[in-house]
Amino acid sequence: MAIPEQPEPTHNLRTDLKPRGRKFITILCLDGGGIRGLIPARVVETLERRTGLPACHLLLTLDGLAGPKYSSDGIEAVMKDYFRTTRIREAMTSVLVTSYDTASASPYFFKSYRSASASSPDGDYPMWQAARATSAAPTYFPPFRLKPLDPNGADKSLVDGGVFANNPAMCAMADAYKLFRDFDMPVLVVSVGTGNDDLKLAYNDVKGRGLLRWAVPILKIVFDGVSDTVDYEAEEMADEYYRFQEDSVAEPLDDASPEAIQRLLAAADDLISRRDSDLTTVAKTLTDNLSPVAPVAVPST
């Protein structure tokens, strides 16, 4: 199936984002997780197969995109080859990508809808740079040095947005509310995780731990706790909410061995099988939500 040709990007923010004829504001959120991103990729692929359309035509907002252990040369070469000269404003749907700027000690968000606005010319970075920044997991890859488009601006030192929003659902919902609040429409959120490793520590396992023995588990506890909290908040606030998460996934973020990939794909397929009814419901809801003037699939020739 070929993706329809993309129209020239518009600089009219209100016109570009208007949910023409739709019943829901639809949001897709993908957790961070390195190679474990195969799980949400498989789930999104399933939705695309069942609807016959690419995700960018089904959802108005896509959120989230995986001493340094690795050089940045390889990952940057792959990203440049894949995205080439595509810029944030050219995304085929509204896109929010999370990162954290260590230079200013604050989150930094790449937003296709911010860069479409003439009032924010500094937002229109190449797509590969957003992908590089959001995948700069501390200890795995060095931070990404982002040169400002404004010559008077300061360089940013960007790391993986997962350090503060590994589950980015609330980031997406906050922006969706700001962008679409005038339309008084319900919000449907599809959130896909990269697997839990089920770290459980009984009282006797932790009562005598000091700094060194807490160092590794405390990071997992913080990340899992924040992610689960966002899950709770999003479920309470969204009008329709679907969270797809597989438990007992223990693959390291950087294990790209054939065996690990097969285990991750098996975990994804198990999740898809167990949640088949929900995926069918989501696919139907997304398809029904399409406007009569929305892009349609074009058969391959």
Side-chain angles (χ1 to χ4, degrees), residues 219-268:
L219 290 176
K220 293 184 179 181
I221 291 170
V222 169
F223 286 140
D224 286 348
V226 171
S227 181
D228 290 345
T229 299
V230 170
D231 182 29
Y232 165 77
E233 294 167 340
E235 185 174 16
E236 291 295 309
M237 295 182 66
D239 297 282
E240 290 200 30
Y241 178 75
Y242 295 88
R243 173 70 170 169
F244 297 93
Q245 178 70 296
E246 179 71 355
D247 292 327
S248 302
V249 176
E251 307 302 329
L253 275 64
D254 61 336
D255 187 354
S257 65
E259 296 80 10
I261 289 174
Q262 287 305 311
R263 287 192 294 269
L264 288 169
L265 292 176

Side-chain angles (χ1 to χ4, degrees), residues 58-101:
L58 297 168
L59 299 121
L60 293 173
T61 300
L62 299 178
D63 183 26
L65 291 173
K69 193 172 183 180
Y70 304 106
S71 166
S72 61
D73 295 343
I75 192 171
E76 287 190 11
V78 170
M79 290 175 175
K80 289 177 181 178
D81 182 64
Y82 184 83
F83 291 110
R84 298 188 181 276
T85 60
T86 305
R87 305 187 79 83
I88 290 289
R89 66 181 172 85
E90 297 176 279
M92 298 183 71
T93 191
S94 304
V95 173
L96 170 69
V97 180
T98 62
S99 64
Y100 186 85
D101 182 13

Side-chain angles (χ1 to χ4, degrees), residues 35-217:
I35 192 63
R36 285 157 55 164
L38 283 171
I39 294 175
R42 193 80 146 190
V43 173
V44 173
E45 178 192 42
T46 299
L47 286 174
E48 290 184 329
R49 284 203 312 268
R50 295 189 184 190
T51 60
L53 289 168
C56 61
H57 291 161
L58 297 168
L59 299 121
L60 293 173
T61 300
L62 299 178
D63 183 26
L65 291 173
K69 193 172 183 180
Y70 304 106
S71 166
S72 61
D73 295 343
I75 192 171
E76 287 190 11
V78 170
M79 290 175 175
K80 289 177 181 178
D81 182 64
Y82 184 83
F83 291 110
R84 298 188 181 276
T85 60
T86 305
R87 305 187 79 83
I88 290 289
R89 66 181 172 85
E90 297 176 279
M92 298 183 71
T93 191
S94 304
V95 173
L96 170 69
V97 180
T98 62
S99 64
Y100 186 85
D101 182 13
T102 62
S104 64
S106 62
Y108 182 77
F109 300 97
F110 294 89
K111 303 179 183 183
S112 61
Y113 35 93
R114 175 172 60 193
S115 58
S117 171
S119 64
S120 300
D122 65 325
D124 192 22
Y125 289 98
M127 191 75 78
W128 77 264
Q129 293 185 347
R132 169 68 176 87
T134 199
S135 60
T139 75
Y140 290 94
F141 290 106
F144 179 64
R145 186 173 187 175
L146 183 68
K147 294 286 187 179
L149 299 178
D150 179 355
N152 296 319
D155 289 2
K156 298 183 185 301
S157 173
L158 301 180
V159 298
D160 183 0
V163 299
F164 71 95
N166 202 52
N167 178 347
M170 288 306 298
C171 298
M173 290 183 67
D175 270 22
Y177 172 76
K178 180 178 180 180
L179 293 169
F180 302 116
R181 58 188 168 193
D182 293 344
F183 298 105
D184 192 27
M185 295 171 65
V187 174
L188 181 150
V189 176
V190 179
S191 176
V192 191
T194 55
N196 283 326
D197 60 5
D198 287 340
L199 177 65
K200 298 177 182 179
L201 300 171
Y203 172 76
N204 287 334
D205 294 329
V206 298
K207 66 176 183 178
R209 291 194 177 210
L211 179 62
L212 290 178
R213 294 187 63 204
W214 265 116
V216 173

